Amino acid sequence: MAVSLYETRTMLQALEQMYPPRTVLRDMFFSNVEVLDTEYVDMDVIKGKRKLAPFVKPISQAAVIERVGFTTKSIKPPYVKMKMKLEPSDILTNRDAGATIYLGNSNPALRAAQQLNKDLSYMQEQIVRRLEWMAAQLLATGKVILTGEYEG
């Protein structure tokens, strides 16, 4: 579409339809987050049955119950790595959504910094969505199956 400089036009603000990721499950069920910097993570899993306390007669002795045991599991968590290509045309010739074409563009260094900020935010949102997906899988199935290039 050709734009005539002799027509009156207004550029409206861009309608952004990307909503920030919701973290309802993580916030509700996994709020105690611990960041680790080791290659392997060991977990003690306490497996016990949820038994009810036994009823006894008032004159009988207390019932003997067994302690629950545990097992130790070791996992190697996967990495999350992403990158986005930044082409010179992204900075030199393109304008951002909602930016007016009539008043001139900002300088390329500023556009590069703005694009980097958008890219980092976009990738961070993908990580948050992955963590929420993992929380959903754990709650629904009791396990998280990691697929992709991961070999753990």
Side-chain angles (χ1 to χ4, degrees):
M1 170 180 103
V3 176
S4 171
L5 296 178
Y6 301 107
E7 293 177 359
T8 304
R9 291 176 172 253
T10 302
M11 176 63 77
L12 297 177
Q13 184 176 357
L15 174 65
E16 186 159 349
Q17 294 183 338
M18 289 246 337
Y19 302 106
R22 294 179 164 231
T23 57
V24 175
L25 299 176
R26 277 185 40 213
D27 296 343
M28 187 179 300
F29 298 106
F30 303 100
S31 59
N32 186 13
V33 176
E34 186 175 346
V35 178
L36 306 170
D37 61 354
T38 57
E39 186 175 3
Y40 290 91
V41 177
D42 297 330
M43 288 185 299
D44 287 336
V45 179
I46 302 169
K47 272 205 146 179
K49 297 179 182 174
R50 296 180 178 256
K51 295 183 179 181
L52 297 172
F55 292 117
V56 295
K57 296 179 185 177
I59 56 172
S60 66
Q61 293 184 350
V64 177
I65 58 173
E66 296 179 6
R67 288 186 180 83
V68 294
F70 68 92
T71 58
T72 302
K73 297 192 181 219
S74 181
I75 63 168
K76 182 179 179 182
Y79 290 97
V80 174
K81 291 183 182 180
M82 297 175 285
K83 62 183 174 181
M84 295 182 79
K85 285 175 44 174
L86 181 63
E87 299 290 337
S89 62
D90 295 335
I91 299 168
L92 297 176
T93 58
N94 293 348
R95 66 173 182 87
D96 285 337
T100 181
I101 61 174
Y102 312 112
L103 300 177
N105 294 328
S106 59
N107 67 41
L110 179 59
R111 285 196 307 270
Q114 290 170 339
Q115 188 62 49
L116 175 63
N117 188 26
K118 287 180 187 178
D119 291 348
L120 291 174
S121 295
Y122 182 65
M123 289 187 284
Q124 180 63 34
E125 288 176 358
Q126 287 184 346
I127 293 170
V128 169
R129 285 187 182 94
R130 173 58 73 188
L131 293 173
E132 186 72 3
W133 175 86
M134 291 170 64
Q137 293 298 308
L138 190 58
L139 291 170
T141 66
K143 58 187 171 185
V144 178
I145 298 175
L146 306 172
T147 59
E149 296 180 24
Y150 172 71
E151 292 182 20

